[in-house]
Amino acid sequence: MDRAVVVTGAAGFIGAAVCQKLLERGERVVGLDNLNPYYDPTLKQARLGRIESVARSSQGHFSFHHLDVDSGDAISTFFAAARPRAVIHLAAQAGVRYSLENPSAYIQSNLVGFGNILEGCRHHGVEHLVYASSSSVYGGNRRMPFSEQHPVNHPVSLYAATKKANELMAHTYSHLYGLPATGLRFFTVYGPWGRPDMAPMLFAKAILAGEPIRVFNHGRMQRDFTYIDDIVEGVIRCLDKPATPDPDFDPLEPNPATAAAPHRLFNIGNSQPTPLLRFIEVLEDALGVKAIPQFEPMQPGDVAATAADTSALEAWIGFAPHTPLEVGIGHFARWYREYHGV
């Protein structure tokens, strides 16, 4: 059989959706996840069940390994046995706000864990590493929309700092060992099967229960909400086009998004930043219930606005996210009611 594609964080929101897409086109997929209790593992198990269902009805093949990416010996043994052709690295300790409470989780998973993945790729002939970065790397930048050409030297959370570090680590491995690596800066991903700690799930739960929703920065927030199907399409297309050196890279005026090594960085967002209060209105309409807003100050580590310039992504793979918020939230609301029976 063809060599497999490894997907880390396979039971996560994005990872599970990526696994399903790969299986639908007949790939051998090997999923890794530690199923940690950052949020209810029941949802993660349900996502794994959906992946296995897709595998049974497709020409693809799926196997799952319950592993921690920060366990160096276990990851080394895994790579030696699996010898994947490509890796999509989505495993990470997620969440900006939680990084203020438990920084060691981010250092272990996002730094030590990513180092283990890079070593596995280096030593076992991986042809392309696609890895998750984040719009959080733009930190204190105020220039909108965010472009890969902008410097990202002022993170405002440890989570953001670990993602910036991942980009530097991947570039180094590309430079030293010729590992093609593509980093994707995701912008506020939402949709069915999403994370319970993200606004859509938190808001939907509170709205349907008749409880207040916490609206930070007194509602003066803006996010580039990006629908999950668009994220998956971008990930798969990038997987199919391994990073290459930029022939026009000038070390006297270095381009932050490319390199003389086979390393590329891309924003992947909807390019339609939405005020938070408008997002709440759309969710209210989709659920058919009004929210009770509870306005609060900005939280430490958060940013007031995000907006993605995706022109580089579109030029590279011929695609950029485009799903209107009203459509994506409609899909999310229907799934939420069905999954939770409300």
Side-chain angles (χ1 to χ4, degrees), residues 93-134:
Q93 179 56 61
V96 169
R97 292 164 190 152
Y98 185 60
S99 68
L100 278 68
E101 302 171 21
N102 190 1
S104 63
Y106 293 76
I107 292 166
Q108 284 300 119
S109 182
N110 300 8
L111 298 181
V112 175
F114 190 53
N116 292 335
I117 294 298
L118 287 170
E119 279 290 277
C121 292
R122 168 195 173 193
H123 289 293
H124 297 288
V126 168
E127 298 168 5
H128 191 198
L129 167 65
V130 177
Y131 65 94
S133 185
S134 168

Side-chain angles (χ1 to χ4, degrees), residues 8 13 25 46 90 101 128 142 169-170 203 208 225 227 241 251 256 266 271 306 312-313:
T8 72
F13 176 29
R25 70 178 198 173
L90 303 171
E101 302 171 21
H128 191 198
R142 296 291 181 86
M169 293 164 72
F203 287 179
L208 291 172
F225 294 99
Y227 189 59
K241 188 172 182 179
F266 297 105
S271 301
T306 64
L313 179 74

